[in-house]
Amino acid sequence: RELPDSSEEWRSVRYARAINTVFALDRAGQVFSWSLTDPVRISVWKSNEDRHGVQFDVSPTGENLVLDVRNQDGSVRNLEFRHGTTTTRFPCNVVFALAHSPDGRFFASNYEKNIRVIDAVTGTLVQTLVGHRTTINDVKFSPDGIHLASVSADRAVKVWNWRTGRLVWSELAHPNSSHHVAFSPDGETLATTGADNMLRLWRWKLGAAVLELPLVDWPTRQLEFSNDGKRIVVIERDQARIYDSSPVVDETSQARAHQ
């Protein structure tokens, strides 16, 4: 289905599976939502700020929405969080990474070189994850909500037990910056992309790289597994491409990648 046109360029898209609804952020900072079961129903939400960032995320149920906003001269930045009719703001710096937990109760974002996990209902900071050496580019919760994956300009991909703050696994995923990360639906596999224009799959519990594919275009903007885990959708520049994510692993390729 083709979504209605916007007068502004589209910046980012999210899909709330629980309510079968697509959310999209345009260049003007407006968030549109379209119900795929009721295509006539279109709603729009816009921050009260005059300017805006380019990052947003929506919870799986569509109840919570968080948007990177800033004031007119760009001197003050906030994460603007909407829960129902309530709007809350959290001070932030430049936002590159935003993600909700599967139950929608928490969201994570980069803050300088660290990751903040915030209770989306109370607005309380519940955890700060420290370990990356520079800018964090993307974060994702695992499907069971126990772990959080992150990638950074320091080249690393990391998996955390975010409740305890413990780093579970870390690897240098790409020779230069690591850009995006996604969990497979069963949580056993991680996909990453980086500045080397490669897509890599990791069986992170084994510490093994199981698949490496060159991407067609650069840069990557989003990365998601299909519901059955057999495909990966990668937004490359202005095109969406689908890659086969079935790992082809021989006995010798179990060795740890990028020693």
Side-chain angles (χ1 to χ4, degrees):
R1 176 174 297 166
E2 185 174 342
L3 299 180
D5 289 335
S6 168
S7 59
E8 301 284 348
E9 172 189 337
W10 295 115
R11 285 294 185 87
S12 189
V13 176
R14 297 289 186 271
Y15 174 58
R17 287 184 172 85
I19 57 173
N20 201 23
T21 298
V22 173
F23 292 77
L25 172 70
D26 73 5
R27 190 181 180 89
Q30 300 176 110
V31 178
F32 292 74
S33 64
W34 295 270
S35 169
L36 299 185
T37 56
D38 181 8
V40 176
R41 193 179 77 209
I42 301 174
S43 60
V44 182
W45 176 75
K46 191 178 189 308
S47 166
N48 293 325
E49 292 287 7
D50 296 328
R51 301 182 66 186
H52 56 90
V54 297
Q55 298 294 333
F56 92 112
D57 196 55
V58 63
S59 65
T61 61
E63 294 177 311
N64 302 335
L65 184 147
V66 62
L67 176 69
D68 164 31
V69 299
R70 52 187 166 166
N71 64 346
Q72 189 170 10
D73 64 5
S75 61
V76 178
R77 301 188 72 118
N78 290 281
L79 286 177
E80 189 163 289
F81 173 76
R82 187 187 68 174
H83 176 70
T85 59
T86 303
T87 299
T88 308
R89 289 189 175 178
F90 308 95
C92 67
N93 54 4
V94 179
V95 176
F96 297 100
L98 282 174
H100 276 88
S101 60
D103 62 4
R105 177 64 190 264
F106 304 93
F107 70 87
S109 72
N110 65 291
Y111 189 74
E112 297 177 344
K113 297 183 293 184
N114 304 326
I115 302 166
R116 300 189 303 184
V117 181
I118 295 170
D119 188 312
V121 176
T122 65
T124 305
L125 176 66
V126 297
Q127 188 62 266
T128 300
L129 304 174
V130 180
H132 281 291
R133 294 185 290 107
T134 186
T135 305
I136 295 161
N137 290 325
D138 197 12
V139 293
K140 292 287 174 59
F141 284 91
S142 60
D144 61 9
I146 296 174
H147 295 104
L148 182 75
S150 58
V151 288
S152 166
D154 66 8
R155 304 181 292 164
V157 54
K158 297 181 184 290
V159 177
W160 316 77
N161 181 320
W162 64 269
R163 290 185 182 273
T164 66
R166 183 172 67 93
L167 179 62
V168 178
W169 176 72
S170 180
E171 181 62 272
L172 294 181
H174 298 270
N176 300 303
S177 176
S178 296
H179 287 171
H180 294 282
V181 65
F183 276 100
S184 62
D186 63 5
E188 298 295 316
T189 303
L190 275 177
T192 62
T193 60
D196 58 349
N197 210 35
M198 299 295 292
L199 169 67
R200 291 189 173 90
L201 266 61
W202 308 84
R203 290 289 169 79
W204 61 275
K205 293 179 181 179
L206 300 176
V210 294
L211 188 66
E212 182 176 281
L213 292 171
L215 298 173
V216 175
D217 206 349
W218 186 90
T220 56
R221 301 188 188 279
Q222 284 183 242
L223 175 67
E224 295 290 345
F225 277 88
S226 61
N227 287 340
D228 61 7
K230 295 180 180 180
R231 300 287 187 271
I232 298 177
V233 180
V234 183
I235 307 298
E236 303 171 31
R237 196 179 297 269
D238 57 356
Q239 297 286 326
R241 292 185 171 88
I242 300 175
Y243 295 85
D244 184 354
S245 61
S246 303
V248 180
V249 185
D250 59 31
E251 293 181 358
T252 61
S253 65
Q254 291 287 351
R256 195 174 180 86
H258 305 289
Q259 294 290 341

